[in-house]
Amino acid sequence: MFGKRDQAAAVRTEQAPPPVSTGAPAIATRPQRVDPANESGVPAASAAAPGAVPTKAVGPKATNGLEQLRAAQGAPPTANVVREQSDYYHATKTTIFNALLNTIDLSQLAQLDLKAAAEEIRDIVAELVAIKNVSMSVSEQEHLVQDIINDVLGYGPLEPLLARDDIADIMVNGAHRVFIEVGGKVQLTNVRFRDNLQLMNICQRIVSQVGRRVDESSPICDARLPDGSRVNVIAPPLALDGPTLTIRKFKKDKLTMKNLVDYASISPEGARVLGVIGACRCNIVISGGTGSGKTTLLNTMTAFIDPTERVVTCEDAAELQLQQPHVVRLETRPPNLEGQGAVTMRDLVKNCLRMRPERIIVGEVRGPEAFDLLQAMNTGHDGSMGTLHANSPREAISRIESMITMGGYGLPSKTIKEMIVGSVDVIVQAARLRDGSRRITHITEVVGLEGDVIVTQDLFVYEISGEDADGKVVGKHRSTGIGRPRFWDRARYYGLERELAEALDAAE
């Protein structure tokens, strides 16, 4: 199939059954990675004991200090995180990988579909393993083949982590430090890359899929994986210890409001109130800190949008997963090499107004686009939503005012506050607690303006009462006793006042 593969087959045909000597034939013309203790080109463990099946690396550097660091952190053993890989395994993988690159024709490989290319690589690697007299068990050889396929066609060492649904974040700090977040806790893994060059190549592979680039001239990039997972890359010279890659993974099974109730993120009564808020087209701002679940909550809130409504979403990196049939998804664009052609969030929000939307959803409000979102909310696009970073509903209002001021509009403070009161109906606050759990801590409505102060009232709050023996935060959601919120008339207009009344009565 490939132009260079016949060379490997010919070499294999000419040699006798694999000898136990150090003279393994070399099929690659480029210099191979050779263990300093073994000048023959065969890894040291293989030369010393050709028939042995090593189960772990030999020597004091086998763990590279990972176990000591993990023990100091109080984290579980690395065997519980990912499969252990010895130094011998990595050396062998490098040798086989380099030989593979000299054997295959990458231009022909690119013409194959993913499955056919994987099978072709599998066959060639199997031949190379036999030629190189690799001392590995069948299971280790299968892992080796799969790792090399991932390197050529996928995301390399990240593939096993991306396949796990219990991992929320993947944080790569250079080639030899990979952390993950599981259950709200950060753990160090023993996943590592060959070097920073391999890590950089994988970063470029990820961002190029969405038409973006990352290099020395453009070292910061936001992108996404095909499943919607959010990706951030910051490369040297800004990142001093090698490329830094952060992936915020999305669960394959989309969460619903029922799931949030099951996880105790919100009480059943609070979930019913949120359902009414979403269905009666209140304008909603979801605020919270990093990793508090803002985007997840926004996704669940969109489930209450009527299927007949036209929804337009604006995001820096498209990650919303709406289920409605009439959704238009827009994404910002960074400038090109000449610094031209950038499309900002504000450009997208302004263009939305010309697309006959019934709801506008902004993935995250970070700057002057807050002004355009408020304009959309109070000019006939009821039910619009957005997220922003803030630690409380009161801070969320202050941040909106600050972002509008940053736009240089020169509006008086009272005018901006009047816009906020006339646009935003409800603020939903999400928080990540100290034990890693995520809770909806406030459902707050914007009531009005008294003088220069925006008046709000809480419908539901989450009160912490302590922690259990396992260190988990203990608390409960409670209603503040508001029996007739400001959006009552809106709920009655949509025929939802009975549902709202029942939810508020049940919460008292």
Side-chain angles (χ1 to χ4, degrees), residues 283 285 346 349-354 357-358 360 362 365 368-384 400 404 409 411 415-416 418-424:
N283 294 322
V285 170
R346 189 178 176 199
V349 174
K350 289 173 63 177
N351 189 74
C352 282
L353 304 178
R354 306 183 182 96
E358 290 177 290
I360 296 175
V362 179
V365 180
E369 66 270 9
F371 178 80
D372 299 285
L373 178 61
L374 293 185
Q375 280 193 319
M377 285 179 170
N378 61 14
T379 54
H381 303 94
D382 294 337
S384 296
I400 294 174
I404 294 176
Y409 298 101
L411 297 173
T415 302
I416 296 175
E418 289 174 348
M419 286 186 60
I420 295 174
V421 170
S423 303
V424 180

Side-chain angles (χ1 to χ4, degrees), residues 281 308-312 356-360 380-384:
R281 300 188 65 173
T308 61
E309 297 181 30
R310 175 176 169 88
V311 182
V312 181
R356 201 236 173 241
E358 290 177 290
R359 297 201 196 211
I360 296 175
H381 303 94
D382 294 337
S384 296

